[in-house]
Protein backbone atom coordinates (compact mmCIF):
# COMPACT_ATOMS: atom_id res chain seq x y z
CA UNK A 1 0.00 0.00 0.00
CA UNK A 2 0.96 3.68 -0.30
CA UNK A 3 1.47 5.94 2.69
CA UNK A 4 2.49 9.59 3.03
CA UNK A 5 5.57 10.13 5.20
CA UNK A 6 7.20 13.20 6.72
CA UNK A 7 10.74 12.17 7.62
CA UNK A 8 11.94 15.52 9.04
CA UNK A 9 10.49 18.89 9.99
CA UNK A 10 10.36 21.42 7.19
CA UNK A 11 8.37 22.74 4.25
CA UNK A 12 6.41 20.79 1.61
CA UNK A 13 9.65 19.32 0.28
CA UNK A 14 9.80 16.90 3.25
CA UNK A 15 6.54 15.20 2.16
CA UNK A 16 6.98 11.90 0.32
CA UNK A 17 4.95 8.79 -0.51
CA UNK A 18 6.27 5.29 0.22
CA UNK A 19 5.16 1.75 -0.60
CA UNK A 20 5.01 -0.72 2.24
CA UNK A 21 3.25 -3.84 3.51
CA UNK A 22 -0.41 -3.61 4.48
CA UNK A 23 -0.97 -3.07 8.23
CA UNK A 24 -2.90 -5.54 10.37
CA UNK A 25 -5.39 -4.37 13.00
CA UNK A 26 -4.52 -5.04 16.61
CA UNK A 27 -6.80 -5.68 19.59
CA UNK A 28 -9.77 -3.33 19.43
CA UNK A 29 -8.83 -1.91 16.02
CA UNK A 30 -10.40 -2.02 12.59
CA UNK A 31 -8.59 -1.55 9.32
CA UNK A 32 -10.07 1.08 7.03
CA UNK A 33 -9.56 1.37 3.29
CA UNK A 34 -9.39 5.13 2.88
CA UNK A 35 -11.68 6.81 0.35
CA UNK A 36 -10.81 10.40 1.25
CA UNK A 37 -8.48 12.09 3.73
CA UNK A 38 -7.85 15.75 4.39
CA UNK A 39 -4.82 18.04 4.16
CA UNK A 40 -5.11 20.98 6.55
CA UNK A 41 -3.21 23.75 8.26
CA UNK A 42 -2.76 21.45 11.25
CA UNK A 43 -0.91 19.00 8.99
CA UNK A 44 1.36 21.84 7.85
CA UNK A 45 2.02 22.81 11.47
CA UNK A 46 2.92 19.20 12.32
CA UNK A 47 5.17 19.08 9.25
CA UNK A 48 6.94 22.27 10.36
CA UNK A 49 7.15 21.19 14.01
CA UNK A 50 4.92 23.94 15.44
CA UNK A 51 1.88 21.83 16.34
CA UNK A 52 1.35 21.60 20.10
CA UNK A 53 1.73 17.94 21.11
CA UNK A 54 2.42 16.87 17.53
CA UNK A 55 4.36 13.76 16.46
CA UNK A 56 8.09 13.55 15.82
CA UNK A 57 9.34 12.43 12.41
CA UNK A 58 9.00 10.07 10.76
CA UNK A 59 5.19 10.13 10.80
CA UNK A 60 2.19 10.11 8.49
CA UNK A 61 0.03 13.26 8.46
CA UNK A 62 -3.71 13.41 7.96
CA UNK A 63 -6.15 14.59 10.62
CA UNK A 64 -9.30 12.93 9.28
CA UNK A 65 -10.56 10.27 6.91
CA UNK A 66 -13.61 8.68 5.39
CA UNK A 67 -13.26 5.03 4.41
CA UNK A 68 -14.62 1.50 4.41
CA UNK A 69 -13.88 -1.09 7.09
CA UNK A 70 -12.14 -4.00 5.37
CA UNK A 71 -10.82 -6.00 8.33
CA UNK A 72 -11.71 -6.40 12.01
CA UNK A 73 -9.13 -6.86 14.71
CA UNK A 74 -9.59 -9.11 17.77
CA UNK A 75 -12.34 -7.96 20.12
CA UNK A 76 -14.25 -5.85 17.58
CA UNK A 77 -18.00 -6.42 17.38
CA UNK A 78 -19.71 -3.07 16.80
CA UNK A 79 -18.65 -2.58 13.18
CA UNK A 80 -18.68 -4.94 10.22
CA UNK A 81 -16.59 -5.31 7.08
CA UNK A 82 -18.02 -3.02 4.42
CA UNK A 83 -19.21 -0.34 6.86
CA UNK A 84 -18.41 3.22 5.79
CA UNK A 85 -16.96 5.29 8.63
CA UNK A 86 -15.46 8.65 9.49
CA UNK A 87 -12.50 8.91 11.85
CA UNK A 88 -10.66 11.79 13.50
CA UNK A 89 -7.12 10.45 13.54
CA UNK A 90 -5.14 13.63 14.39
CA UNK A 91 -2.35 12.16 12.26
CA UNK A 92 -1.95 9.03 10.17
CA UNK A 93 -4.92 9.36 7.79
CA UNK A 94 -2.98 10.01 4.57
CA UNK A 95 -2.58 6.39 3.53
CA UNK A 96 -4.45 3.77 1.51
CA UNK A 97 -5.05 1.60 4.59
CA UNK A 98 -5.22 2.81 8.19
CA UNK A 99 -5.83 0.88 11.42
CA UNK A 100 -7.86 2.84 13.98
CA UNK A 101 -9.55 2.07 17.31
CA UNK A 102 -13.04 0.75 16.60
CA UNK A 103 -14.47 3.06 19.28
CA UNK A 104 -13.29 6.13 17.30
CA UNK A 105 -14.96 5.17 14.01
CA UNK A 106 -18.36 6.79 13.39
CA UNK A 107 -20.78 5.37 10.76
CA UNK A 108 -21.25 7.47 7.62
CA UNK A 109 -24.12 7.14 5.10
CA UNK A 110 -22.96 5.65 1.81
CA UNK A 111 -24.98 8.06 -0.36
CA UNK A 112 -22.94 11.13 0.63
CA UNK A 113 -19.78 12.25 -1.16
CA UNK A 114 -16.75 11.11 0.93
CA UNK A 115 -14.75 14.19 -0.09
CA UNK A 116 -17.51 16.47 1.24
CA UNK A 117 -18.09 14.44 4.38
CA UNK A 118 -14.39 14.47 5.29
CA UNK A 119 -14.76 18.23 5.91
CA UNK A 120 -17.28 17.46 8.65
CA UNK A 121 -14.88 15.28 10.64
CA UNK A 122 -12.39 18.06 11.42
CA UNK A 123 -13.20 21.46 9.89
CA UNK A 124 -16.93 21.63 10.55
CA UNK A 125 -16.59 19.66 13.79
CA UNK A 126 -14.15 22.28 15.06
CA UNK A 127 -16.59 25.07 14.19
CA UNK A 128 -19.61 23.23 15.59
CA UNK A 129 -18.00 22.30 18.90
CA UNK A 130 -16.54 25.75 19.46
CA UNK A 131 -20.01 27.23 19.04
CA UNK A 132 -21.99 24.58 20.94
CA UNK A 133 -19.57 22.93 23.38
CA UNK A 134 -16.99 25.63 24.17
CA UNK A 135 -18.70 29.01 23.80
CA UNK A 136 -22.27 27.82 24.39
CA UNK A 137 -23.58 30.19 21.70
CA UNK A 138 -27.27 31.07 21.74
CA UNK A 139 -29.64 32.50 19.17
CA UNK A 140 -29.55 36.28 19.14
CA UNK A 141 -25.96 36.55 20.41
CA UNK A 142 -23.19 38.27 18.45
CA UNK A 143 -19.96 36.64 17.37
CA UNK A 144 -16.67 37.79 15.86
CA UNK A 145 -14.57 35.22 14.02
CA UNK A 146 -11.06 36.00 12.83
CA UNK A 147 -10.01 34.51 9.50
CA UNK A 148 -13.63 34.39 8.42
CA UNK A 149 -12.84 33.46 4.81
CA UNK A 150 -10.74 30.44 5.78
CA UNK A 151 -11.93 26.87 6.05
CA UNK A 152 -12.96 26.92 9.72
CA UNK A 153 -14.10 30.54 9.50
CA UNK A 154 -16.48 29.72 6.66
CA UNK A 155 -17.85 26.74 8.59
CA UNK A 156 -18.40 28.97 11.63
CA UNK A 157 -20.38 31.49 9.58
CA UNK A 158 -22.58 28.79 8.05
CA UNK A 159 -23.30 27.13 11.39
CA UNK A 160 -23.86 30.43 13.18
CA UNK A 161 -26.46 31.38 10.56
CA UNK A 162 -28.29 28.10 11.22
CA UNK A 163 -28.30 28.95 14.95
CA UNK A 164 -29.49 32.53 14.52
CA UNK A 165 -26.25 34.05 15.78
CA UNK A 166 -25.30 37.45 14.34
CA UNK A 167 -21.75 37.40 12.97
CA UNK A 168 -18.83 39.69 12.23
CA UNK A 169 -15.80 38.34 10.39
CA UNK A 170 -12.32 39.68 9.76
CA UNK A 171 -11.03 39.08 6.24
CA UNK A 172 -9.08 40.79 3.48
CA UNK A 173 -10.81 43.16 1.09
CA UNK A 174 -10.50 40.45 -1.56
CA UNK A 175 -12.64 38.09 0.54
CA UNK A 176 -15.20 40.65 1.74
CA UNK A 177 -17.91 39.54 -0.71
CA UNK A 178 -17.48 35.87 0.22
CA UNK A 179 -17.87 36.66 3.93
CA UNK A 180 -20.91 38.84 3.32
CA UNK A 181 -22.58 36.13 1.21
CA UNK A 182 -22.53 33.99 4.34
CA UNK A 183 -24.49 36.62 6.22
CA UNK A 184 -21.66 38.20 8.21
CA UNK A 185 -20.55 41.81 8.51
CA UNK A 186 -17.08 41.79 6.97
CA UNK A 187 -14.26 43.76 8.62
CA UNK A 188 -11.20 44.43 6.44
CA UNK A 189 -8.40 43.67 8.87
CA UNK A 190 -5.82 45.24 6.53
CA UNK A 191 -7.47 48.67 6.47
CA UNK A 192 -9.82 48.70 9.48
CA UNK A 193 -9.19 48.30 13.19
CA UNK A 194 -11.43 45.36 14.08
CA UNK A 195 -11.73 46.44 17.72
CA UNK A 196 -12.88 49.94 16.83
CA UNK A 197 -15.20 48.59 14.14
CA UNK A 198 -16.83 46.06 16.48
CA UNK A 199 -17.37 48.72 19.13
CA UNK A 200 -18.82 51.06 16.52
CA UNK A 201 -21.22 48.45 15.16
CA UNK A 202 -22.23 46.76 18.42
CA UNK A 203 -21.78 49.62 20.94
CA UNK A 204 -20.74 47.42 23.85
CA UNK A 205 -18.88 44.58 22.09
CA UNK A 206 -19.71 41.01 21.12
CA UNK A 207 -20.69 37.94 23.10
CA UNK A 208 -18.15 35.58 21.53
CA UNK A 209 -14.80 35.86 19.73
CA UNK A 210 -13.28 32.85 17.98
CA UNK A 211 -9.54 33.37 17.53
CA UNK A 212 -7.32 30.99 15.52
CA UNK A 213 -4.22 33.16 15.96
CA UNK A 214 -3.69 33.64 19.70
CA UNK A 215 -0.75 35.74 20.80
CA UNK A 216 -1.13 39.50 20.98
CA UNK A 217 -4.22 39.43 18.78
CA UNK A 218 -6.07 37.56 21.52
CA UNK A 219 -5.45 40.44 23.92
CA UNK A 220 -7.32 42.78 21.58
CA UNK A 221 -9.95 40.12 20.95
CA UNK A 222 -10.61 39.95 24.69
CA UNK A 223 -11.21 43.71 24.70
CA UNK A 224 -13.91 43.22 22.05
CA UNK A 225 -16.07 41.23 24.49
CA UNK A 226 -19.03 42.68 26.33
CA UNK A 227 -19.89 41.63 29.88
CA UNK A 228 -20.53 37.88 29.93
CA UNK A 229 -18.43 37.42 26.77
CA UNK A 230 -16.28 34.41 25.89
CA UNK A 231 -13.02 34.33 23.94
CA UNK A 232 -12.20 30.93 22.43
CA UNK A 233 -8.60 30.45 21.28
CA UNK A 234 -8.23 27.47 19.00
CA UNK A 235 -5.11 27.86 16.87
CA UNK A 236 -1.53 28.97 16.40
CA UNK A 237 -1.61 30.24 12.83
CA UNK A 238 1.15 32.84 13.22
CA UNK A 239 3.63 30.13 14.20
CA UNK A 240 3.77 29.15 10.52
CA UNK A 241 4.94 31.50 7.74
CA UNK A 242 5.20 30.32 4.13
CA UNK A 243 4.98 26.74 5.31
CA UNK A 244 7.84 26.94 7.82
CA UNK A 245 8.24 27.47 11.55
CA UNK A 246 8.15 31.13 12.54
CA UNK A 247 10.11 31.39 15.79
CA UNK A 248 9.04 35.00 16.54
CA UNK A 249 5.44 33.86 16.03
CA UNK A 250 5.96 30.93 18.41
CA UNK A 251 7.33 33.27 21.09
CA UNK A 252 4.51 35.79 20.56
CA UNK A 253 1.87 33.06 20.76
CA UNK A 254 3.08 31.78 24.12
CA UNK A 255 3.53 35.22 25.65
CA UNK A 256 0.30 36.73 24.37
CA UNK A 257 -1.82 33.67 25.02
CA UNK A 258 -0.49 33.33 28.57
CA UNK A 259 -1.24 37.00 29.21
CA UNK A 260 -4.83 36.82 27.97
CA UNK A 261 -5.41 33.57 29.89
CA UNK A 262 -4.36 35.37 33.09
CA UNK A 263 -6.61 38.30 32.16
CA UNK A 264 -9.51 35.89 31.82
CA UNK A 265 -8.80 34.46 35.29
CA UNK A 266 -8.93 37.87 36.98
CA UNK A 267 -11.81 39.25 34.92
CA UNK A 268 -15.12 39.16 36.83
CA UNK A 269 -17.35 39.02 33.77
CA UNK A 270 -15.44 37.70 30.75
CA UNK A 271 -13.87 34.30 30.11
CA UNK A 272 -11.00 32.88 28.07
CA UNK A 273 -11.43 29.33 26.78
CA UNK A 274 -9.11 27.02 24.86
CA UNK A 275 -10.46 24.55 22.33
CA UNK A 276 -8.61 21.55 20.88
CA UNK A 277 -10.72 19.07 18.98
CA UNK A 278 -8.58 16.04 19.79
CA UNK A 279 -8.49 16.77 23.51
CA UNK A 280 -12.26 17.12 23.67
CA UNK A 281 -12.78 13.93 21.65
CA UNK A 282 -10.57 11.93 24.01
CA UNK A 283 -12.76 12.82 26.97
CA UNK A 284 -16.09 12.92 25.12
CA UNK A 285 -16.26 10.48 22.23
CA UNK A 286 -20.04 10.47 22.79
CA UNK A 287 -20.13 14.21 22.04
CA UNK A 288 -18.08 13.66 18.91
CA UNK A 289 -20.51 11.05 17.62
CA UNK A 290 -23.53 13.17 18.54
CA UNK A 291 -22.10 16.27 16.88
CA UNK A 292 -21.06 14.33 13.79
CA UNK A 293 -24.60 13.03 13.35
CA UNK A 294 -25.90 16.59 13.68
CA UNK A 295 -23.49 17.77 10.99
CA UNK A 296 -24.47 14.91 8.68
CA UNK A 297 -28.10 15.94 9.04
CA UNK A 298 -27.25 19.56 8.25
CA UNK A 299 -25.35 18.41 5.16
CA UNK A 300 -28.25 16.25 4.01
CA UNK A 301 -30.61 19.23 4.44
CA UNK A 302 -28.19 21.43 2.45
CA UNK A 303 -28.00 23.79 5.44
CA UNK A 304 -24.20 23.68 5.17
CA UNK A 305 -22.09 23.46 2.02
CA UNK A 306 -18.59 22.00 2.46
CA UNK A 307 -16.46 23.05 -0.50
CA UNK A 308 -13.84 20.70 -1.92
CA UNK A 309 -11.12 22.94 -3.36
CA UNK A 310 -9.31 20.10 -5.08
CA UNK A 311 -9.22 16.31 -5.12
CA UNK A 312 -5.74 14.93 -5.53
CA UNK A 313 -4.44 11.35 -5.63
CA UNK A 314 -2.43 10.23 -2.62
CA UNK A 315 0.71 10.30 -4.75
CA UNK A 316 0.36 14.11 -5.01
CA UNK A 317 0.40 14.75 -1.24
CA UNK A 318 3.36 17.10 -1.59
CA UNK A 319 1.45 19.20 -4.11
CA UNK A 320 -1.46 19.39 -1.65
CA UNK A 321 0.89 20.80 1.00
CA UNK A 322 2.25 23.30 -1.52
CA UNK A 323 -1.29 24.47 -2.24
CA UNK A 324 -2.31 24.96 1.40
CA UNK A 325 -1.40 28.66 1.67
CA UNK A 326 -2.78 29.70 -1.69
CA UNK A 327 -6.08 27.84 -1.34
CA UNK A 328 -6.96 28.73 2.26
CA UNK A 329 -10.16 30.51 1.23
CA UNK A 330 -11.30 28.15 -1.51
CA UNK A 331 -12.22 25.01 0.41
CA UNK A 332 -10.84 21.68 1.53
CA UNK A 333 -7.89 19.92 -0.04
CA UNK A 334 -8.68 16.21 -0.19
CA UNK A 335 -6.52 13.19 -1.03
CA UNK A 336 -8.56 10.45 -2.67
CA UNK A 337 -7.80 6.79 -3.24
Amino acid sequence: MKRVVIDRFGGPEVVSVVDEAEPLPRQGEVRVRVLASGVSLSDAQMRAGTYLGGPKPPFTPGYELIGVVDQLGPGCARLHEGDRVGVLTQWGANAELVCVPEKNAVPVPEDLDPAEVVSLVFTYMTAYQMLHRAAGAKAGETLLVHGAAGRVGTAVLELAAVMGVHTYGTASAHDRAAVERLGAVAIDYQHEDFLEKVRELSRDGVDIVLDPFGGTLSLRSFRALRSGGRLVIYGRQKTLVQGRKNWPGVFEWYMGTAAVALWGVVSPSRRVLAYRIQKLRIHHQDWFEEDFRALLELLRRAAIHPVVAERLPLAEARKAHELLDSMAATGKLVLVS
Side-chain angles (χ1 to χ4, degrees):
M1 73 155 195
K2 294 186 183 301
R3 179 168 68 92
V4 179
V5 172
I6 292 173
D7 60 7
R8 65 190 187 281
F9 292 133
E13 74 280 355
V14 304
V15 179
S16 63
V17 179
V18 301
D19 289 295
E20 63 182 26
E22 296 182 353
L24 296 175
R26 296 174 295 184
Q27 180 74 30
E29 291 184 336
V30 297
R31 190 173 73 181
V32 178
R33 186 169 297 278
V34 179
L35 300 174
S37 63
V39 178
S40 67
L41 175 63
S42 294
D43 297 311
Q45 290 174 332
M46 290 184 205
R47 185 198 70 224
T50 70
Y51 187 86
L52 194 63
K56 297 185 183 303
F59 67 92
T60 294
Y63 221 103
E64 73 273 64
L65 65 83
I66 301 296
V68 177
V69 175
D70 84 336
Q71 190 171 340
L72 304 178
C76 293
R78 181 172 62 89
L79 296 174
H80 304 86
E81 292 183 9
D83 286 351
R84 183 172 293 192
V85 295
V87 188
L88 183 76
T89 52
Q90 193 172 15
W91 57 81
N94 296 157
E96 290 181 326
L97 292 167
V98 179
C99 294
V100 300
E102 182 189 35
K103 65 181 181 180
N104 292 349
V106 181
V108 171
E110 294 185 9
D111 62 329
L112 298 176
D113 179 0
E116 288 187 359
V117 177
V118 80
S119 289
L120 306 188
V121 181
F122 180 29
T123 304
Y124 276 78
M125 182 68 70
T126 295
Y128 187 93
Q129 291 196 328
M130 283 195 298
L131 289 169
H132 289 267
R133 303 292 185 182
K138 301 177 181 63
E141 288 192 311
T142 55
L143 176 147
L144 168 67
V145 57
H146 291 296
R151 298 173 184 88
V152 174
T154 297
V156 167
L157 296 184
E158 282 200 301
L159 292 168
V162 172
M163 298 174 66
V165 173
H166 181 68
T167 50
Y168 304 96
T170 62
S172 67
H174 177 268
D175 294 319
R176 175 181 289 273
V179 171
E180 291 176 342
R181 279 197 298 271
L182 293 170
V185 176
I187 299 174
D188 180 357
Y189 70 89
Q190 294 172 321
H191 301 101
E192 297 177 298
D193 184 303
F194 79 85
L195 182 55
E196 290 182 4
K197 194 67 176 178
V198 163
R199 287 175 173 172
E200 172 192 330
L201 294 170
S202 64
R203 297 185 181 179
D204 61 345
V206 296
D207 297 294
I208 301 165
V209 180
L210 303 182
D211 182 357
F213 298 102
T216 55
L217 181 71
S218 62
L219 292 165
R220 304 194 77 236
S221 295
F222 190 79
R223 292 173 60 196
L225 295 174
R226 61 165 53 107
S227 178
R230 294 87 76 196
L231 167 63
V232 181
I233 301 173
Y234 68 98
R236 297 153 51 90
Q237 289 193 16
K238 290 184 179 179
T239 63
L240 199 67
V241 173
Q242 295 182 338
R244 300 178 186 279
K245 181 181 283 189
N246 173 30
W247 280 110
V250 172
F251 179 77
E252 180 201 334
W253 187 89
Y254 278 104
M255 295 299 292
T257 305
V260 78
L262 178 60
W263 196 357
V265 170
V266 301
S267 172
S269 60
R270 294 173 291 176
R271 290 184 291 154
V272 176
L273 306 163
Y275 172 81
R276 293 185 65 198
I277 186 172
Q278 184 68 13
K279 185 175 181 180
L280 189 66
R281 199 284 303 275
I282 290 171
H283 297 291
H284 295 284
Q285 174 65 20
D286 55 331
W287 287 1
F288 184 84
E289 293 184 19
E290 180 182 333
D291 297 345
F292 190 56
R293 287 194 295 269
L295 288 168
L296 287 168
E297 179 58 26
L298 290 172
L299 178 62
R300 191 176 293 283
R301 286 168 34 203
I304 56 175
H305 306 84
V307 176
V308 179
E310 194 159 348
R311 303 167 194 244
L312 298 166
L314 194 68
E316 295 188 23
R318 175 174 172 173
K319 179 181 178 182
H321 278 253
E322 291 170 346
L323 291 172
L324 270 172
D325 287 342
S326 63
M327 303 188 76
T330 60
K332 185 75 173 178
L333 288 163
V334 180
L335 299 178
V336 295
S337 301

